[in-house]
Amino acid sequence: MKILDRYILKSFITTFATVFVILSLIFILQTVWLFISELAGKDLDLILILKFLLFKMPSLVPLVLPLSVLLASIMTFGDLAENYEFAAMKSAGISLQRIMRSLTLFIVFLSGAAFFFANNVIPYSEYKFINFRKEIAQVKPAMAIAEGQFSEVGSYNIKVDKKSGENGNFLTGVTIHKKTTNFDGSKNVIKSKTGELVSSEKSSILQLILKDGYYYEDLVPKKYEDRKKLPFAKSSFKKYVINIDLTKLNTASEQDMQITNTDKMLTMKELLYTLDSLNVNYKKEVISISDNMYQRAGNSKQTPKTKESNASLSPDILSKFSTTEKAGILNLAGNYVTSNTFSIESYRSGLNDKIETINEHWIAVYDKFVISFACLLMFFIGAPLGAIIRKGGLGLPIVFAVTIFIIFHFVNTFGKKVAQENEISPFLGCWLSTMILLPLAILLTYRATNDIGLVNMDLIMTPIHKFFKKVFPSNNE
Protein backbone atom coordinates (compact mmCIF):
# COMPACT_ATOMS: atom_id res chain seq x y z
CA MET A 1 0.00 0.00 0.00
CA LYS A 2 2.89 2.40 0.67
CA ILE A 3 4.02 1.97 -2.93
CA LEU A 4 0.49 2.80 -4.11
CA ASP A 5 0.35 5.91 -1.87
CA ARG A 6 3.70 7.11 -3.19
CA TYR A 7 2.57 6.56 -6.77
CA ILE A 8 -0.68 8.50 -6.32
CA LEU A 9 1.05 11.30 -4.40
CA LYS A 10 3.75 11.61 -7.04
CA SER A 11 1.17 11.77 -9.84
CA PHE A 12 -0.90 14.40 -8.05
CA ILE A 13 1.98 16.59 -6.84
CA THR A 14 3.62 16.60 -10.27
CA THR A 15 0.37 17.64 -11.93
CA PHE A 16 -0.42 20.15 -9.18
CA ALA A 17 3.00 21.83 -9.39
CA THR A 18 2.78 22.11 -13.18
CA VAL A 19 -0.73 23.56 -13.09
CA PHE A 20 0.15 25.95 -10.26
CA VAL A 21 3.13 27.37 -12.15
CA ILE A 22 1.16 27.81 -15.38
CA LEU A 23 -1.79 29.50 -13.66
CA SER A 24 0.57 31.72 -11.66
CA LEU A 25 2.17 32.95 -14.87
CA ILE A 26 -1.26 33.66 -16.35
CA PHE A 27 -2.35 35.69 -13.33
CA ILE A 28 1.00 37.50 -13.24
CA LEU A 29 0.40 38.60 -16.82
CA GLN A 30 -2.98 39.88 -15.71
CA THR A 31 -1.27 41.84 -12.93
CA VAL A 32 1.17 43.34 -15.43
CA TRP A 33 -1.79 44.42 -17.55
CA LEU A 34 -3.51 46.07 -14.57
CA PHE A 35 -0.37 47.99 -13.63
CA ILE A 36 0.88 48.64 -17.15
CA SER A 37 0.33 52.38 -16.74
CA GLU A 38 2.76 52.41 -13.80
CA LEU A 39 5.40 50.20 -15.41
CA ALA A 40 5.47 51.23 -19.07
CA GLY A 41 7.57 54.17 -20.16
CA LYS A 42 8.87 54.94 -16.65
CA ASP A 43 12.54 54.00 -17.23
CA LEU A 44 12.40 51.17 -14.67
CA ASP A 45 15.10 48.55 -14.89
CA LEU A 46 14.37 44.82 -14.92
CA ILE A 47 15.26 44.30 -11.25
CA LEU A 48 12.73 46.90 -10.07
CA ILE A 49 10.00 45.39 -12.25
CA LEU A 50 10.75 41.89 -10.91
CA LYS A 51 10.59 43.17 -7.31
CA PHE A 52 7.35 44.95 -8.16
CA LEU A 53 5.81 41.68 -9.35
CA LEU A 54 7.39 39.61 -6.57
CA PHE A 55 5.69 41.66 -3.85
CA LYS A 56 2.36 41.39 -5.69
CA MET A 57 2.51 37.64 -6.40
CA PRO A 58 1.42 36.40 -2.92
CA SER A 59 -1.92 38.19 -3.26
CA LEU A 60 -2.64 36.00 -6.31
CA VAL A 61 -2.36 32.74 -4.34
CA PRO A 62 -6.02 32.81 -3.09
CA LEU A 63 -7.08 32.66 -6.73
CA VAL A 64 -4.44 30.28 -8.07
CA LEU A 65 -4.32 27.68 -5.26
CA PRO A 66 -7.98 26.46 -5.22
CA LEU A 67 -8.10 26.35 -9.03
CA SER A 68 -4.82 24.40 -9.13
CA VAL A 69 -6.12 21.86 -6.59
CA LEU A 70 -9.36 21.44 -8.54
CA LEU A 71 -7.72 21.03 -11.94
CA ALA A 72 -4.94 18.75 -10.65
CA SER A 73 -7.51 16.54 -8.88
CA ILE A 74 -9.66 16.14 -11.99
CA MET A 75 -6.64 15.47 -14.22
CA THR A 76 -4.97 12.99 -11.85
CA PHE A 77 -8.05 10.90 -11.06
CA GLY A 78 -9.35 11.20 -14.59
CA ASP A 79 -6.07 9.86 -15.94
CA LEU A 80 -6.09 6.96 -13.46
CA ALA A 81 -9.66 6.07 -14.45
CA GLU A 82 -9.00 6.48 -18.18
CA ASN A 83 -6.05 4.06 -18.04
CA TYR A 84 -8.12 1.50 -16.06
CA GLU A 85 -5.81 1.83 -13.05
CA PHE A 86 -8.84 2.42 -10.84
CA ALA A 87 -10.39 -0.77 -12.16
CA ALA A 88 -7.24 -2.68 -11.26
CA MET A 89 -7.17 -1.18 -7.77
CA LYS A 90 -10.84 -1.95 -7.15
CA SER A 91 -10.40 -5.53 -8.42
CA ALA A 92 -7.69 -5.88 -5.79
CA GLY A 93 -10.18 -4.82 -3.12
CA ILE A 94 -8.94 -1.22 -2.72
CA SER A 95 -11.80 1.27 -2.28
CA LEU A 96 -11.88 4.85 -3.52
CA GLN A 97 -11.67 6.11 0.07
CA ARG A 98 -8.43 4.18 0.56
CA ILE A 99 -7.06 5.52 -2.73
CA MET A 100 -7.85 9.10 -1.66
CA ARG A 101 -6.50 8.72 1.89
CA SER A 102 -2.90 9.79 1.24
CA LEU A 103 -4.00 12.70 -0.94
CA THR A 104 -6.53 13.77 1.68
CA LEU A 105 -3.75 14.05 4.25
CA PHE A 106 -1.68 16.05 1.77
CA ILE A 107 -4.60 18.42 1.05
CA VAL A 108 -5.20 18.89 4.80
CA PHE A 109 -1.54 19.86 5.17
CA LEU A 110 -1.88 22.16 2.11
CA SER A 111 -4.95 23.80 3.67
CA GLY A 112 -3.02 24.51 6.88
CA ALA A 113 -0.17 25.97 4.84
CA ALA A 114 -2.69 28.10 2.91
CA PHE A 115 -4.06 29.53 6.17
CA PHE A 116 -0.55 30.33 7.41
CA PHE A 117 0.25 31.93 4.05
CA ALA A 118 -2.93 34.02 4.08
CA ASN A 119 -2.40 35.09 7.70
CA ASN A 120 1.29 35.96 7.54
CA VAL A 121 2.79 36.12 4.07
CA ILE A 122 0.05 37.98 2.18
CA PRO A 123 -0.29 40.85 4.74
CA TYR A 124 3.50 41.27 4.79
CA SER A 125 3.70 41.26 0.98
CA GLU A 126 0.91 43.85 0.72
CA TYR A 127 2.76 46.07 3.18
CA LYS A 128 6.03 45.67 1.28
CA PHE A 129 4.29 46.24 -2.05
CA ILE A 130 2.87 49.61 -1.04
CA ASN A 131 6.13 50.75 0.55
CA PHE A 132 8.14 49.56 -2.46
CA ARG A 133 6.05 51.74 -4.74
CA LYS A 134 6.76 54.69 -2.46
CA GLU A 135 10.49 53.89 -2.46
CA ILE A 136 10.49 53.81 -6.26
CA ALA A 137 8.88 57.24 -6.26
CA GLN A 138 11.60 58.56 -3.95
CA VAL A 139 14.54 56.99 -5.78
CA LYS A 140 13.15 57.50 -9.30
CA PRO A 141 10.58 60.30 -9.05
CA ALA A 142 10.52 60.66 -12.84
CA MET A 143 8.63 57.35 -13.07
CA ALA A 144 5.42 59.24 -12.41
CA ILE A 145 5.88 61.29 -15.58
CA ALA A 146 5.84 59.71 -19.04
CA GLU A 147 7.27 61.36 -22.14
CA GLY A 148 4.90 62.84 -24.71
CA GLN A 149 1.71 62.52 -22.66
CA PHE A 150 0.03 64.15 -19.68
CA SER A 151 0.62 62.35 -16.38
CA GLU A 152 -1.52 63.08 -13.32
CA VAL A 153 0.64 63.89 -10.29
CA GLY A 154 -1.36 65.11 -7.33
CA SER A 155 -3.10 68.35 -8.30
CA TYR A 156 -1.06 68.73 -11.52
CA ASN A 157 -1.18 67.27 -15.03
CA ILE A 158 2.40 67.25 -16.30
CA LYS A 159 3.69 66.64 -19.83
CA VAL A 160 7.35 66.61 -20.89
CA ASP A 161 8.85 66.27 -24.36
CA LYS A 162 11.97 64.47 -23.18
CA LYS A 163 13.59 63.12 -20.01
CA SER A 164 17.33 62.74 -19.53
CA GLY A 165 19.82 62.00 -16.78
CA GLU A 166 20.56 58.81 -14.86
CA ASN A 167 17.15 58.73 -13.18
CA GLY A 168 15.27 60.81 -15.76
CA ASN A 169 15.34 63.85 -13.47
CA PHE A 170 16.15 66.42 -16.16
CA LEU A 171 13.13 67.48 -18.20
CA THR A 172 12.81 69.33 -21.48
CA GLY A 173 9.69 71.03 -22.81
CA VAL A 174 7.53 71.03 -19.67
CA THR A 175 3.80 71.80 -19.80
CA ILE A 176 1.75 71.80 -16.58
CA HIS A 177 -2.00 72.14 -16.14
CA LYS A 178 -2.90 72.93 -12.56
CA LYS A 179 -6.25 71.62 -11.34
CA THR A 180 -8.67 74.12 -9.84
CA THR A 181 -11.13 73.42 -7.06
CA ASN A 182 -13.87 75.63 -8.54
CA PHE A 183 -16.07 74.83 -11.52
CA ASP A 184 -15.94 78.17 -13.34
CA GLY A 185 -13.82 76.87 -16.23
CA SER A 186 -10.68 78.78 -15.26
CA LYS A 187 -7.31 77.43 -16.36
CA ASN A 188 -3.82 77.62 -14.87
CA VAL A 189 -1.02 76.68 -17.28
CA ILE A 190 2.73 76.68 -16.67
CA LYS A 191 5.24 76.18 -19.49
CA SER A 192 9.02 76.08 -19.28
CA LYS A 193 11.92 75.13 -21.53
CA THR A 194 13.66 72.92 -18.93
CA GLY A 195 12.97 71.45 -15.54
CA GLU A 196 14.53 69.27 -12.86
CA LEU A 197 13.08 66.84 -10.33
CA VAL A 198 14.82 66.96 -6.94
CA SER A 199 13.95 64.46 -4.19
CA SER A 200 15.44 62.89 -1.09
CA GLU A 201 14.86 59.45 0.45
CA LYS A 202 14.45 61.16 3.84
CA SER A 203 11.78 63.57 2.61
CA SER A 204 8.25 63.01 1.33
CA ILE A 205 8.33 66.20 -0.76
CA LEU A 206 9.38 66.29 -4.39
CA GLN A 207 10.61 69.57 -5.82
CA LEU A 208 9.99 70.41 -9.48
CA ILE A 209 12.34 73.24 -10.43
CA LEU A 210 11.30 74.96 -13.68
CA LYS A 211 13.52 77.36 -15.61
CA ASP A 212 12.87 79.88 -18.41
CA GLY A 213 9.10 79.78 -18.73
CA TYR A 214 5.86 81.63 -18.17
CA TYR A 215 2.73 81.29 -16.06
CA TYR A 216 -0.78 81.76 -17.46
CA GLU A 217 -3.93 82.04 -15.34
CA ASP A 218 -7.55 82.84 -16.16
CA LEU A 219 -9.14 85.50 -13.99
CA VAL A 220 -12.81 85.15 -13.05
CA PRO A 221 -14.37 88.53 -12.16
CA LYS A 222 -17.13 88.69 -9.59
CA LYS A 223 -19.47 90.47 -12.02
CA TYR A 224 -20.90 88.15 -14.64
CA GLU A 225 -20.86 90.78 -17.43
CA ASP A 226 -17.10 91.26 -16.97
CA ARG A 227 -16.43 87.55 -17.57
CA LYS A 228 -17.21 87.94 -21.30
CA LYS A 229 -13.99 89.96 -21.62
CA LEU A 230 -12.00 86.77 -20.70
CA PRO A 231 -9.39 88.50 -18.51
CA PHE A 232 -6.18 86.65 -17.73
CA ALA A 233 -2.80 87.13 -16.09
CA LYS A 234 0.51 86.14 -17.62
CA SER A 235 4.00 86.38 -16.20
CA SER A 236 7.42 85.02 -17.10
CA PHE A 237 10.01 83.56 -14.76
CA LYS A 238 13.62 82.48 -14.73
CA LYS A 239 13.08 79.96 -11.96
CA TYR A 240 9.88 78.53 -10.50
CA VAL A 241 9.68 75.83 -7.80
CA ILE A 242 6.69 73.51 -7.27
CA ASN A 243 6.50 71.23 -4.23
CA ILE A 244 4.66 67.93 -4.77
CA ASP A 245 3.68 65.40 -2.12
CA LEU A 246 5.36 62.07 -2.94
CA THR A 247 2.41 60.11 -1.61
CA LYS A 248 0.42 61.35 -4.63
CA LEU A 249 2.90 60.09 -7.21
CA ASN A 250 1.25 56.68 -7.36
CA THR A 251 -2.29 57.39 -8.45
CA ALA A 252 -3.58 53.81 -8.40
CA SER A 253 -7.34 53.75 -7.95
CA GLU A 254 -9.40 51.41 -5.81
CA GLN A 255 -10.03 49.28 -8.86
CA ASP A 256 -6.32 48.38 -9.10
CA MET A 257 -6.87 45.31 -6.88
CA GLN A 258 -7.68 47.67 -4.00
CA ILE A 259 -4.10 47.82 -2.85
CA THR A 260 -4.80 50.71 -0.48
CA ASN A 261 -7.01 48.66 1.85
CA THR A 262 -5.21 48.38 5.19
CA ASP A 263 -7.25 45.33 6.25
CA LYS A 264 -5.29 43.26 3.70
CA MET A 265 -2.07 44.14 5.55
CA LEU A 266 -3.20 42.79 8.93
CA THR A 267 -2.84 39.36 10.49
CA MET A 268 -5.66 37.60 12.33
CA LYS A 269 -4.60 38.95 15.71
CA GLU A 270 -4.24 42.49 14.38
CA LEU A 271 -7.62 42.31 12.61
CA LEU A 272 -9.43 41.23 15.78
CA TYR A 273 -7.73 43.99 17.78
CA THR A 274 -8.68 46.55 15.13
CA LEU A 275 -12.26 45.28 15.01
CA ASP A 276 -12.57 45.70 18.76
CA SER A 277 -11.50 49.34 18.45
CA LEU A 278 -13.79 49.96 15.46
CA ASN A 279 -16.80 48.52 17.29
CA VAL A 280 -16.12 50.63 20.39
CA ASN A 281 -15.82 53.79 18.26
CA TYR A 282 -19.01 52.90 16.37
CA LYS A 283 -21.00 52.46 19.61
CA LYS A 284 -19.66 55.77 20.96
CA GLU A 285 -20.65 57.47 17.71
CA VAL A 286 -24.19 56.07 17.89
CA ILE A 287 -24.59 57.23 21.52
CA SER A 288 -23.22 60.67 20.64
CA ILE A 289 -25.61 61.05 17.70
CA SER A 290 -28.63 59.92 19.74
CA ASP A 291 -27.78 62.37 22.54
CA ASN A 292 -27.34 65.17 20.01
CA MET A 293 -30.67 64.48 18.32
CA TYR A 294 -32.39 64.20 21.72
CA GLN A 295 -31.07 67.61 22.74
CA ARG A 296 -32.02 69.15 19.37
CA ALA A 297 -35.58 68.00 20.06
CA GLY A 298 -35.61 70.24 23.14
CA ASN A 299 -35.32 67.40 25.63
CA SER A 300 -32.76 66.72 28.29
CA LYS A 301 -31.89 63.66 30.30
CA GLN A 302 -31.79 65.79 33.44
CA THR A 303 -35.35 67.12 32.94
CA PRO A 304 -37.58 64.19 32.05
CA LYS A 305 -41.21 64.72 31.14
CA THR A 306 -43.74 64.52 33.96
CA LYS A 307 -47.38 63.55 33.99
CA GLU A 308 -48.35 67.19 34.68
CA SER A 309 -46.50 68.48 31.62
CA ASN A 310 -48.11 65.82 29.46
CA ALA A 311 -51.56 66.61 30.81
CA SER A 312 -51.20 70.31 29.99
CA LEU A 313 -50.89 69.52 26.27
CA SER A 314 -54.28 69.62 24.58
CA PRO A 315 -55.03 67.51 21.50
CA ASP A 316 -55.50 70.63 19.39
CA ILE A 317 -52.70 72.84 20.65
CA LEU A 318 -52.83 75.18 17.65
CA SER A 319 -56.39 76.25 18.44
CA LYS A 320 -55.07 78.77 20.98
CA PHE A 321 -53.21 80.73 18.28
CA SER A 322 -54.32 83.04 15.52
CA THR A 323 -54.09 82.14 11.83
CA THR A 324 -50.90 84.15 11.35
CA GLU A 325 -49.32 82.58 14.40
CA LYS A 326 -50.36 79.10 13.24
CA ALA A 327 -48.67 79.67 9.86
CA GLY A 328 -45.49 80.82 11.60
CA ILE A 329 -45.49 77.83 13.95
CA LEU A 330 -46.08 75.35 11.11
CA ASN A 331 -43.38 76.99 9.00
CA LEU A 332 -40.94 76.79 11.92
CA ALA A 333 -41.86 73.14 12.53
CA GLY A 334 -41.35 72.34 8.85
CA ASN A 335 -37.90 73.96 8.87
CA TYR A 336 -37.08 72.07 12.04
CA VAL A 337 -38.12 68.74 10.48
CA THR A 338 -36.13 69.50 7.31
CA SER A 339 -33.06 70.40 9.37
CA ASN A 340 -33.34 67.23 11.45
CA THR A 341 -33.89 65.09 8.34
CA PHE A 342 -30.74 66.52 6.77
CA SER A 343 -28.79 65.87 9.97
CA ILE A 344 -30.05 62.30 10.18
CA GLU A 345 -29.05 61.64 6.56
CA SER A 346 -25.58 63.04 7.24
CA TYR A 347 -25.20 60.92 10.36
CA ARG A 348 -26.46 57.85 8.55
CA SER A 349 -23.92 58.31 5.77
CA GLY A 350 -21.11 58.51 8.32
CA LEU A 351 -22.38 55.46 10.21
CA ASN A 352 -22.70 53.48 6.97
CA ASP A 353 -19.04 54.23 6.21
CA LYS A 354 -18.05 52.95 9.63
CA ILE A 355 -20.17 49.81 9.17
CA GLU A 356 -18.56 49.16 5.77
CA THR A 357 -15.12 49.48 7.35
CA ILE A 358 -16.06 47.00 10.07
CA ASN A 359 -17.48 44.61 7.48
CA GLU A 360 -14.31 44.86 5.38
CA HIS A 361 -12.23 43.78 8.37
CA TRP A 362 -14.58 40.87 9.13
CA ILE A 363 -14.38 39.82 5.49
CA ALA A 364 -10.57 39.87 5.74
CA VAL A 365 -10.83 37.61 8.82
CA TYR A 366 -13.13 35.06 7.19
CA ASP A 367 -11.16 35.13 3.92
CA LYS A 368 -8.20 33.51 5.66
CA PHE A 369 -10.38 30.51 6.57
CA VAL A 370 -12.20 30.43 3.23
CA ILE A 371 -8.89 30.07 1.35
CA SER A 372 -7.94 27.12 3.55
CA PHE A 373 -11.31 25.39 3.30
CA ALA A 374 -11.51 26.02 -0.46
CA CYS A 375 -8.54 23.68 -1.01
CA LEU A 376 -10.40 20.82 0.72
CA LEU A 377 -13.63 21.65 -1.08
CA MET A 378 -12.01 21.72 -4.53
CA PHE A 379 -10.25 18.41 -3.87
CA PHE A 380 -13.45 16.63 -2.89
CA ILE A 381 -15.11 18.04 -6.02
CA GLY A 382 -12.24 17.37 -8.41
CA ALA A 383 -11.13 13.89 -7.28
CA PRO A 384 -14.54 12.14 -7.53
CA LEU A 385 -15.40 14.13 -10.68
CA GLY A 386 -12.21 12.90 -12.36
CA ALA A 387 -13.01 9.32 -11.35
CA ILE A 388 -16.53 9.65 -12.80
CA ILE A 389 -15.78 11.32 -16.15
CA ARG A 390 -12.68 9.12 -16.69
CA LYS A 391 -10.86 11.71 -18.75
CA GLY A 392 -7.35 12.99 -18.10
CA GLY A 393 -5.22 15.50 -19.96
CA LEU A 394 -6.09 19.12 -20.64
CA GLY A 395 -9.37 18.78 -22.53
CA LEU A 396 -12.56 18.01 -20.63
CA PRO A 397 -10.96 18.50 -17.15
CA ILE A 398 -10.21 22.14 -17.95
CA VAL A 399 -13.82 22.73 -19.01
CA PHE A 400 -15.19 21.31 -15.75
CA ALA A 401 -12.54 23.00 -13.60
CA VAL A 402 -12.97 26.45 -15.12
CA THR A 403 -16.77 26.21 -14.93
CA ILE A 404 -16.76 25.19 -11.27
CA PHE A 405 -14.14 27.77 -10.33
CA ILE A 406 -15.99 30.57 -12.13
CA ILE A 407 -19.11 29.73 -10.11
CA PHE A 408 -17.05 29.69 -6.90
CA HIS A 409 -15.24 32.94 -7.65
CA PHE A 410 -18.36 34.80 -8.87
CA VAL A 411 -20.45 33.80 -5.85
CA ASN A 412 -17.55 34.59 -3.51
CA THR A 413 -17.01 38.05 -5.02
CA PHE A 414 -20.74 38.79 -5.10
CA GLY A 415 -21.21 37.63 -1.50
CA LYS A 416 -18.36 39.77 -0.19
CA LYS A 417 -19.59 42.81 -2.10
CA VAL A 418 -23.11 42.45 -0.70
CA ALA A 419 -21.72 41.81 2.79
CA GLN A 420 -19.54 44.90 2.59
CA GLU A 421 -22.65 47.00 1.89
CA ASN A 422 -24.26 45.41 4.98
CA GLU A 423 -27.02 43.67 3.01
CA ILE A 424 -26.03 40.31 4.54
CA SER A 425 -23.65 39.35 7.33
CA PRO A 426 -19.91 39.16 6.48
CA PHE A 427 -19.88 35.51 7.61
CA LEU A 428 -22.59 34.54 5.14
CA GLY A 429 -21.07 36.65 2.36
CA CYS A 430 -17.67 34.97 2.67
CA TRP A 431 -18.95 31.41 3.12
CA LEU A 432 -21.79 31.58 0.58
CA SER A 433 -19.70 30.09 -2.24
CA THR A 434 -18.60 27.13 -0.13
CA MET A 435 -22.17 26.57 1.10
CA ILE A 436 -23.34 26.32 -2.51
CA LEU A 437 -20.57 23.98 -3.68
CA LEU A 438 -20.39 21.80 -0.55
CA PRO A 439 -23.50 19.75 -1.51
CA LEU A 440 -21.92 19.18 -4.93
CA ALA A 441 -18.75 17.84 -3.28
CA ILE A 442 -20.78 15.49 -1.07
CA LEU A 443 -22.88 14.29 -4.03
CA LEU A 444 -19.89 13.65 -6.28
CA THR A 445 -17.98 11.83 -3.53
CA TYR A 446 -21.03 9.64 -2.83
CA ARG A 447 -21.59 8.79 -6.51
CA ALA A 448 -17.90 8.06 -7.16
CA THR A 449 -17.68 5.85 -4.05
CA ASN A 450 -20.70 3.82 -5.13
CA ASP A 451 -19.61 3.63 -8.82
CA ILE A 452 -22.55 5.72 -10.00
CA GLY A 453 -22.11 7.84 -13.12
CA LEU A 454 -22.27 11.60 -13.20
CA VAL A 455 -25.86 11.52 -14.47
CA ASN A 456 -28.13 8.49 -14.14
CA MET A 457 -29.59 8.31 -17.65
CA ASP A 458 -32.17 5.70 -16.59
CA LEU A 459 -33.91 8.28 -14.45
CA ILE A 460 -34.24 10.50 -17.53
CA MET A 461 -34.90 7.93 -20.26
CA THR A 462 -37.37 5.64 -18.43
CA PRO A 463 -40.16 8.25 -18.10
CA ILE A 464 -39.61 9.23 -21.74
CA HIS A 465 -39.95 5.59 -22.88
CA LYS A 466 -43.13 5.17 -20.84
CA PHE A 467 -44.57 8.36 -22.33
CA PHE A 468 -43.92 7.27 -25.92
CA LYS A 469 -45.32 3.79 -25.27
CA LYS A 470 -48.50 5.32 -23.94
CA VAL A 471 -48.85 7.80 -26.81
CA PHE A 472 -47.73 5.42 -29.59
CA PRO A 473 -48.61 1.88 -28.49
CA SER A 474 -47.12 -0.93 -30.57
CA ASN A 475 -49.29 -3.35 -32.61
CA ASN A 476 -48.22 -6.31 -30.44
CA GLU A 477 -49.74 -4.77 -27.35
Side-chain angles (χ1 to χ4, degrees):
M1 291 297 181
K2 293 183 179 179
I3 297 175
L4 180 61
D5 290 337
R6 285 199 301 267
Y7 173 71
I8 296 175
L9 271 174
K10 181 181 178 182
S11 301
F12 179 83
I13 293 175
T14 303
T15 306
F16 171 76
T18 304
V19 171
F20 185 83
V21 171
I22 294 173
L23 292 177
S24 297
L25 292 175
I26 293 173
F27 280 94
I28 287 172
L29 291 176
Q30 182 193 22
T31 302
V32 173
W33 179 257
L34 288 173
F35 289 96
I36 193 68
S37 60
E38 292 191 35
L39 300 176
K42 302 296 178 67
D43 297 331
L44 298 178
D45 53 41
L46 181 61
I47 296 177
L48 288 177
I49 294 176
L50 290 177
K51 285 184 177 180
F52 187 93
L53 296 176
L54 180 64
F55 289 138
K56 192 59 187 174
M57 280 177 58
S59 63
L60 304 177
V61 172
L63 288 174
V64 177
L65 190 59
L67 181 57
S68 300
V69 171
L70 176 63
L71 186 55
S73 301
I74 298 176
M75 291 175 63
T76 301
F77 281 78
D79 189 62
L80 291 174
E82 187 178 16
N83 295 326
Y84 299 101
E85 294 178 86
F86 270 148
M89 296 176 194
K90 290 179 180 179
S91 64
I94 305 173
S95 63
L96 181 63
Q97 294 93 326
R98 178 61 186 85
I99 296 171
M100 294 173 60
R101 188 172 68 181
S102 59
L103 284 181
T104 303
L105 295 175
F106 173 77
I107 294 298
V108 170
F109 170 78
L110 186 65
S111 300
F115 177 81
F116 176 83
F117 192 89
N119 189 46
N120 296 278
V121 179
I122 292 179
Y124 179 76
S125 68
E126 287 289 331
Y127 171 78
K128 294 292 291 183
F129 179 70
I130 293 176
N131 282 275
F132 181 70
R133 294 174 70 190
K134 183 178 179 181
E135 290 173 6
I136 292 178
Q138 290 176 328
V139 176
K140 296 176 72 69
M143 70 165 288
I145 303 173
E147 292 183 355
Q149 67 183 44
F150 280 98
S151 303
E152 184 178 351
V153 183
S155 58
Y156 300 93
N157 286 319
I158 303 176
K159 176 186 175 183
V160 298
D161 295 335
K162 186 178 180 181
K163 296 190 296 183
S164 59
E166 182 179 357
N167 293 322
N169 289 8
F170 297 99
L171 313 176
T172 304
V174 183
T175 303
I176 301 175
H177 290 179
K178 185 178 179 181
K179 300 177 185 178
T180 56
T181 55
N182 48 24
F183 299 95
D184 51 20
S186 61
K187 298 178 181 178
N188 294 338
V189 181
I190 305 173
K191 292 183 68 70
S192 69
K193 294 181 179 179
T194 60
E196 181 182 0
L197 293 169
V198 180
S199 64
S200 173
E201 296 183 13
K202 299 180 180 179
S203 175
S204 60
I205 300 299
L206 170 70
Q207 283 191 334
L208 176 56
I209 302 175
L210 304 176
K211 297 180 180 179
D212 298 327
Y214 62 88
Y215 182 92
Y216 170 91
E217 180 181 4
D218 285 338
L219 299 179
V220 182
K222 294 183 178 179
K223 294 183 178 180
Y224 183 78
E225 56 272 15
D226 293 338
R227 298 183 183 181
K228 297 181 180 180
K229 299 178 182 180
L230 302 177
F232 66 92
K234 181 180 179 181
S235 62
S236 59
F237 58 83
K238 289 293 182 181
K239 183 178 180 180
Y240 187 80
V241 179
I242 299 177
N243 293 322
I244 303 174
D245 189 356
L246 278 175
T247 58
K248 298 179 181 179
L249 280 175
N250 294 310
T251 57
S253 65
E254 291 183 356
Q255 296 178 351
D256 294 336
M257 292 194 168
Q258 300 181 349
I259 60 172
T260 57
N261 289 353
T262 56
D263 54 272
K264 293 184 178 294
M265 298 188 293
L266 301 177
T267 62
M268 177 72 67
K269 183 178 180 181
E270 293 168 341
L271 281 169
L272 294 177
Y273 179 82
T274 306
L275 276 167
D276 184 63
S277 300
L278 290 174
N279 284 318
V280 170
N281 292 335
Y282 174 76
K283 291 178 181 178
K284 289 182 178 179
E285 185 74 12
V286 171
I287 294 173
S288 176
I289 291 173
S290 62
D291 289 344
N292 187 23
M293 295 303 299
Y294 191 78
Q295 292 174 4
R296 285 170 63 94
N299 299 314
S300 175
K301 291 183 178 180
Q302 286 75 26
T303 57
K305 293 181 179 179
T306 60
K307 294 182 178 180
E308 291 76 9
S309 61
N310 290 332
S312 63
L313 296 176
S314 61
D316 190 9
I317 193 173
L318 292 177
S319 60
K320 299 180 180 180
F321 299 93
S322 64
T323 304
T324 304
E325 291 174 334
K326 288 180 182 179
I329 292 173
L330 292 175
N331 185 45
L332 180 63
N335 293 335
Y336 178 78
V337 171
T338 303
S339 175
N340 279 350
T341 302
F342 180 78
S343 299
I344 291 172
E345 290 296 328
S346 301
Y347 290 142
R348 183 167 63 179
S349 176
L351 291 177
N352 286 338
D353 292 339
K354 291 181 181 296
I355 292 174
E356 287 187 5
T357 303
I358 293 173
N359 290 339
E360 286 175 359
H361 283 73
W362 275 119
I363 290 171
V365 171
Y366 295 131
D367 258 349
K368 301 180 188 300
F369 294 97
V370 171
I371 295 170
S372 178
F373 186 76
C375 296
L376 279 171
L377 180 66
M378 293 303 170
F379 173 73
F380 282 101
I381 291 177
L385 184 60
I388 292 173
I389 64 176
R390 299 178 182 179
K391 287 290 183 182
L394 296 174
L396 192 59
I398 289 183
V399 176
F400 279 103
V402 171
T403 303
I404 294 171
F405 184 76
I406 287 176
I407 295 172
F408 173 81
H409 183 63
F410 173 79
V411 175
N412 188 40
T413 304
F414 174 78
K416 289 192 290 188
K417 182 65 178 177
V418 175
Q420 182 181 345
E421 296 175 357
N422 207 38
E423 298 293 333
I424 59 177
S425 67
F427 178 85
L428 180 60
C430 290
W431 289 98
L432 185 62
S433 56
T434 58
M435 292 178 182
I436 292 175
L437 291 180
L438 184 59
L440 177 63
I442 296 173
L443 176 64
L444 290 175
T445 304
Y446 171 78
R447 298 183 74 87
T449 303
N450 293 277
D451 292 327
I452 305 174
L454 185 61
V455 178
N456 192 346
M457 296 303 297
D458 291 337
L459 295 176
I460 300 174
M461 298 304 298
T462 300
I464 295 176
H465 276 293
K466 289 182 178 180
F467 174 77
F468 276 100
K469 283 184 178 182
K470 186 179 293 186
V471 176
F472 305 104
S474 62
N475 296 328
N476 298 328
E477 294 181 355

